[in-house]
Structures are given as structure tokens and as C-alpha cells.
Amino acid sequence: MPEDQADQDVPEDQADLSLAAQYEAYPYPQRDPRDEAKRLFIGSPSHLREIDHWVFGAARPASRPLQVLVAGCGTGDAAIMLATQMQRAGRAGQVLCLDRSEQALGIARARAEVRGLSNIAFQRRSLTELPAADLGPFDYIDCCGVLHHLPDPLAALRGLERSLAPGGGMGLMVYAPHGRTGVYMLQDALALLAPAGEPPPARLDVARRVMRHLPATAWLRANSNFGDHLSGGDAGLYDLLLNPRDRAYDIAGFLELLDQAGLEAACLMEPARYDPDLLLPDPRLRARAASLSPTGRAALAESLAGNMNTHVVYAVRRGEAPAAPDPMAPDAVPVAREMPVAEIVRQIGPDGSLPVAFGRLTVPVPLPPQARAILGLIDGERNVSAIAAALAERGIGPAKFAAAWAETFRALSRVNRILLRPPA
């Protein structure tokens, strides 16, 4: 999918004016602050347990204050999630939210007020102004759904890198092409019917009319990746089909962008999603895939799956990737990322595999026979030594435990179910 498809005939200044008008008229995602009393939106990146594990290698003490920047916070999903998790866990630090849309910031502020968050602040500012603002350094920077809308993503990413504290990391999300099949076709149609220079309400009316009579052959009808946009009110529909600047990066292109900005991936989310072996049961095909580079294998998984509509990555400065957390360390404390451990156990099938859904694609993740017993002892407090001792009393000796735990942890960390807790 060529980059800049949606704005190839729109002058850069007009595209930017249209983009600014869009997010004032239809702040995205559409959120009602009153809903904060009912639920907390959870996602990746910027989940606190993911940051601890993937960015800091489960080695950065939880007692160290965490200074966070959310660059382009929109209506606040990531910022509210992380600030809430930090406050609940008693973690020191602050989440600073930047966005140039006053309407979006107003919604994010209201959501924070409903939750009583005292560790969050807001500034109306474009992230492109960040280097001159001298706000950093930040231990962690979230920039999701923003880079692909900017006139110069690389310059913006380099600006973020300059605001990163030594040893810090970022959580990034950009659009991916294959899983957005059908989107760019309709964006092209609407660019003709509702040019970017028209007022947002007029453009939205055209989009609604097109969707009302969308031909049965339109590829978007076959794409199930956009329930949140198509059912997300005016803001969701506008952001999907009328955004005046919309790039999509395949995984190789995204990793190249990181490299150009002096960054590298610490983790693609979820790691197993980029493993083509889960999509290639044929041993001969697996043998061919084994000869590919890590980027080639990730690209193969993306092309085979066909349903990745975004890429999420935890990134660090090139050469600063943390050592992988050691699950075999006696004092390592495994913790469920979000799904209760009991639910993970319940989902393990009779064949010992855990079905994991990546969108509509479900793949079986094999686990050793001892996985159920090991998982039953994970409570976020017991360390590996204590778990091993408890299983030894049940007849699972040290060698058998070590092999089973290594296999269990590898499988479940790669699907982001079990991670390691940082030291206090």
C-alpha cells in the first residue's frame, strides 16, 4: 500500500488544517467521561505491567518515579489507563498528556477528574513542538495513532527520541496496510465526493450516505477489523474514512523508521503474533522460514495472517535494549498481565494448548502438561523459588519444574499473558 494515499492530491498545509478541524469537531476516540465509573479501557502499549517487563526488562525498581509523556493523547485512553494503574499500585511519577485539540484534552481532563487522578497533567501542544518546549526527559513515551497522521513522521519520532531519558523507552502504534484492506479504497472515493477542504460536518454526512449504500463488493464489507470505528459514533467513522493524512507501514517499513530515528524494537506486540511458525504447521515451510532474518520472519507472519491493521511496538534507543527478563531467577515473580490466571487455566484445552485470538485468527499455543499446576501457584507474590518448592511437594522435581516452567513462561509471555514483576 503506497504511503500518503489519502492525501496525495491534498496540499500539506490544507491537510494539516483539515486534520486539526477534524479532531476539534470529532475528538477521537469518542468517549463519555461518565463511563469512567463503569470501566477502564485496557490495551497495548502503555499497560504498566508491559512497560515494566518489555521496556525495563523487569529490572527497574517499582519505587523509582516514572515520568511519562503521552504525545498526542486524544481523548485519553492510554493516559487514563496508565495513570490509573500507577495510582492504584502506589507508583510515584506523573503522566503528562499533550494534544493540540482542546476538545480532546477537555474530554481527557474530565475523565481524569471522574477517576480522581492526581498524577496526570495536560498541555495543549503539538508533539512537533516538543524539542523546543524542553519538557523532558521522560522515562517512558507513548505515541499511538499519531505518527501516521503527521507530515514528517521521522522528524517527529526523532524529536521524541531526544526527549527520552537514558534507559527509557517508548510505546508506539502505527497503521498496518494488509489489515486495512478496503479502507483506502473508500478514502479515495470520499476524497472525490467530500474533499478535505470542506467543513467536517458536510464531509461526515457524505460518508454516512456512502456507507448506507455501500456496494456488496466493497472490500471494507469483508474486513472485520473495524468494529470500533464503524460502531464508534461520528468520531470513529470520520477517523477511519475521512482523515486527510493516513499512512500505513508494513512491519519492515516500521522497523526501518525506528532505525532511522536511532531506535530499535525491544518487543513487537504480541511477540507470538510475528512468529510465522504458528501459521505454518508444515515442517518444510517452517524450515524455509527459519532461514529468514527476524524482520523477514515478522514480515512473513504479517503477510500470511493478513489481518494486522496496526503495529504496536515497545522501542528503545538503538543499543539500549534491556536484557531479557530471566524467568529462571529464583527471586523472579511471575504475574498475570491482565487476564486472571484461573481464566488462563480454564481456557487450556484437553490437548494442553491455549487458544489465543489475534483478531479473528485463533492459533493454538502448546503448553507442557505441568502448566496448569504451575499457573495455579502464580499470584503475583510468590517467586519462582517458592513455586518450585510447592511443586516439589507434589512430586515435580527441580529438573522437571525447570523445563516445564521455562516452556510455560516462554509460551505465555510471547502472547502477553504472563510477565515478570519488577523489584520493589
Side-chain angles (χ1 to χ4, degrees):
M1 183 70 64
E3 293 184 0
D4 293 318
Q5 185 163 357
D7 70 324
Q8 56 191 355
D9 296 320
V10 181
E12 289 294 344
D13 55 348
Q14 181 58 63
D16 202 56
L17 289 172
S18 183
L19 192 68
Q22 168 188 336
Y23 289 121
E24 290 297 343
Y26 305 108
Y28 180 80
Q30 191 164 307
R31 296 288 183 248
D32 184 340
R34 294 171 295 184
D35 291 339
E36 295 305 311
K38 307 173 188 175
R39 62 176 176 177
L40 176 66
F41 286 92
I42 298 295
S44 298
S46 301
H47 190 290
L48 182 57
R49 285 180 173 166
E50 293 176 6
I51 295 169
D52 286 337
H53 183 96
W54 298 115
V55 174
F56 298 120
R60 187 181 193 270
S63 57
R64 285 183 60 185
L66 187 65
Q67 299 303 324
V68 176
L69 172 69
V70 180
C73 76
T75 54
D77 280 4
I80 296 297
M81 174 185 69
L82 182 52
T84 298
Q85 291 172 341
M86 289 172 62
Q87 188 157 294
R88 285 176 177 174
R91 301 281 286 270
Q94 184 189 59
V95 177
L96 175 61
C97 305
L98 302 187
D99 204 280
R100 66 175 181 172
S101 166
E102 186 58 47
Q103 292 298 317
L105 282 175
I107 294 170
R109 282 193 192 98
R111 294 175 69 183
E113 288 171 3
V114 171
R115 289 190 171 273
L117 297 175
S118 58
N119 60 350
I120 192 166
F122 302 89
Q123 285 193 25
R124 186 179 185 185
R125 190 188 298 272
S126 169
L127 72 88
T128 59
E129 304 167 3
L130 190 59
D134 193 27
L135 298 175
F138 298 96
D139 304 303
Y140 177 74
I141 296 175
D142 170 289
C143 187
C144 291
V146 178
L147 294 173
H148 47 234
H149 294 316
L150 298 178
D152 192 342
L154 178 57
L157 192 54
R158 284 172 171 162
L160 293 176
E161 185 273 335
R162 289 195 291 273
S163 298
L164 198 61
M170 301 185 195
L172 306 170
M173 181 275 277
V174 297
Y175 292 152
H178 302 329
R180 289 174 68 79
T181 297
V183 170
Y184 296 107
M185 300 171 192
L186 278 183
Q187 285 189 7
D188 287 345
L190 288 167
L192 298 171
L193 290 170
E198 292 186 356
R203 300 188 74 215
L204 183 65
D205 179 67
V206 172
R208 285 203 201 98
R209 292 171 184 272
V210 167
M211 291 301 292
R212 199 175 300 144
H213 303 289
L214 193 63
T217 52
W219 278 105
L220 189 61
R221 284 193 176 276
N223 193 334
S224 62
N225 287 330
F226 300 104
D228 58 333
H229 279 85
L230 298 177
S231 64
D234 294 344
L237 186 64
Y238 203 108
D239 194 66
L240 181 68
L241 299 180
L242 293 168
N243 200 297
R245 187 187 292 116
D246 180 336
R247 292 172 167 84
Y249 294 87
D250 61 26
I251 189 58
F254 189 25
L255 293 176
E256 181 181 359
L257 179 69
L258 296 182
D259 183 67
Q260 291 173 339
L263 300 167
E264 64 177 285
C267 174
L268 301 178
M269 292 297 293
E270 292 84 3
R273 192 169 195 184
Y274 293 87
D275 181 359
D277 287 356
L278 291 177
L279 308 174
L280 296 172
D282 187 319
R284 292 189 180 183
L285 296 179
R286 287 188 176 186
R288 284 179 174 264
S291 66
L292 298 173
S293 67
T295 297
R297 285 177 58 81
L300 176 59
E302 178 183 14
S303 297
L304 286 171
N307 72 337
M308 296 185 193
N309 64 324
T310 64
H311 293 302
V312 173
V313 64
Y314 285 108
V316 297
R317 282 196 180 93
R318 191 187 305 119
E320 290 188 5
D326 181 8
M328 309 311 295
D331 60 348
V333 178
V335 61
R337 178 259 189 192
E338 193 69 38
M339 181 184 289
V341 175
E343 180 61 18
I344 299 174
V345 173
R346 189 192 67 79
Q347 291 184 8
I348 297 174
D351 64 350
S353 67
L354 178 72
V356 176
F358 300 129
R360 288 177 59 193
L361 172 65
T362 299
V363 296
V365 176
L367 295 171
Q370 300 82 8
R372 287 185 177 89
I374 293 172
L375 290 171
L377 293 168
I378 291 177
D379 59 5
E381 298 295 333
R382 284 191 186 93
N383 61 26
V384 169
S385 177
I387 294 172
L391 289 176
E393 294 178 358
R394 303 180 192 179
I396 300 177
K400 183 176 287 188
F401 165 76
W405 168 233
E407 185 179 348
T408 299
F409 180 81
R410 180 179 183 277
L412 294 182
S413 64
R414 282 163 38 83
V415 293
N416 214 29
R417 297 292 192 272
I418 298 294
L419 305 173
L420 296 185
R421 200 184 73 180

